[in-house]
Amino acid sequence: MLSTTEMVISIAIALAVGIALAFLFWKQRKEAKVLLEQHEKAKTAPPATQPLQLQAYERLILLVDRIALPNVISRTPTAGLTARDMQMLLTQTIRTEYEYNVTQQIYVSHESWEAVRSLKDQNIMIVNQIGSFLPAEATGQDLSRSILEMLMQSPKASLHNVVSDVLSYEAKKLMS
């Protein structure tokens, strides 16, 4: 049998252990609740990359506008250029614009980047194809006029409006 002193000590130890466990459980529950609240706030807060993504979409929409054939042609002086020189200048301008913005691909969807790349490739192909059909003595103005006429006759030949719409849609989706 336990003496009264031993029994009091046993009860005191049991109470101390019980209080310590209750305190630890309370503290752990409080920390879990704080972590859960932080997680919920993080889910509703915009991700840190969202501003960078929006900026990338903005830059790519500007790129699409800049490499649209009518716009490239309007910015390129044709005076004194042969068709071949103009062809090289147009394709180089498109490539330079594209290469300047190539890093934006890490912030946008794969589909968006592929649309931009396809537009660049298509525009270069159009310039080269039309340039190859012109006579050797053709001028830069002849090439420009031929490209613009082809685009007017076949509006679906240019993807720049479609690509702009895709980029704009994705940017708006990101903002909502």
Side-chain angles (χ1 to χ4, degrees):
M1 290 252 268
L2 294 174
S3 70
T4 309
T5 309
E6 290 174 334
M7 195 172 189
V8 170
I9 292 174
S10 296
I11 292 174
I13 291 173
L15 279 173
V17 169
I19 291 171
L21 286 174
F23 176 75
L24 289 174
F25 285 137
W26 173 79
K27 185 177 176 184
Q28 190 176 30
R29 182 177 162 104
K30 185 177 176 184
E31 288 173 357
K33 189 175 182 180
V34 168
L35 286 174
L36 183 63
E37 288 173 0
Q38 288 174 348
H39 179 70
E40 288 299 320
K41 283 182 184 176
K43 280 184 8 184
T44 59
T49 60
Q50 188 179 28
L52 295 172
Q53 290 174 306
L54 290 172
Q55 185 180 34
Y57 280 108
E58 181 181 315
R59 285 188 61 173
L60 290 180
I61 290 171
L62 180 60
L63 168 66
V64 166
D65 186 62
R66 290 186 60 81
I67 66 172
L69 288 174
N71 297 340
V72 174
I73 290 170
S74 70
R75 287 192 322 270
T76 307
T78 59
L81 294 177
T82 66
R84 301 292 173 246
D85 292 339
M86 182 66 167
Q87 179 181 348
M88 289 175 57
L89 187 57
L90 290 174
T91 58
Q92 185 58 40
T93 300
I94 293 168
R95 282 189 182 106
T96 302
E97 290 282 349
Y98 176 82
E99 289 167 3
Y100 182 74
N101 289 285
V102 76
T103 59
Q104 300 307 308
Q105 69 183 299
I106 64 174
Y107 299 109
V108 299
S109 71
H110 176 72
E111 293 78 17
S112 291
W113 183 251
E114 283 302 308
V116 171
R117 191 185 56 72
S118 294
L119 174 63
K120 175 209 50 131
D121 293 343
Q122 180 212 35
N123 286 354
I124 290 172
M125 183 191 69
I126 289 171
V127 169
N128 288 334
Q129 280 186 340
I130 292 176
S132 70
F133 290 116
L134 293 176
E137 66 276 354
T139 66
Q141 288 178 336
D142 294 334
L143 176 62
S144 297
R145 186 175 27 260
S146 297
I147 292 170
L148 293 174
E149 286 173 359
M150 187 278 303
L151 291 173
M152 287 174 41
Q153 291 172 359
S154 180
K156 292 181 182 179
S158 181
L159 290 175
H160 75 271
N161 288 330
V162 174
V163 174
S164 281
D165 289 345
V166 166
L167 294 171
S168 179
Y169 173 77
E170 286 201 12
K172 288 175 183 169
K173 203 166 73 171
L174 191 62
M175 290 187 288
S176 61

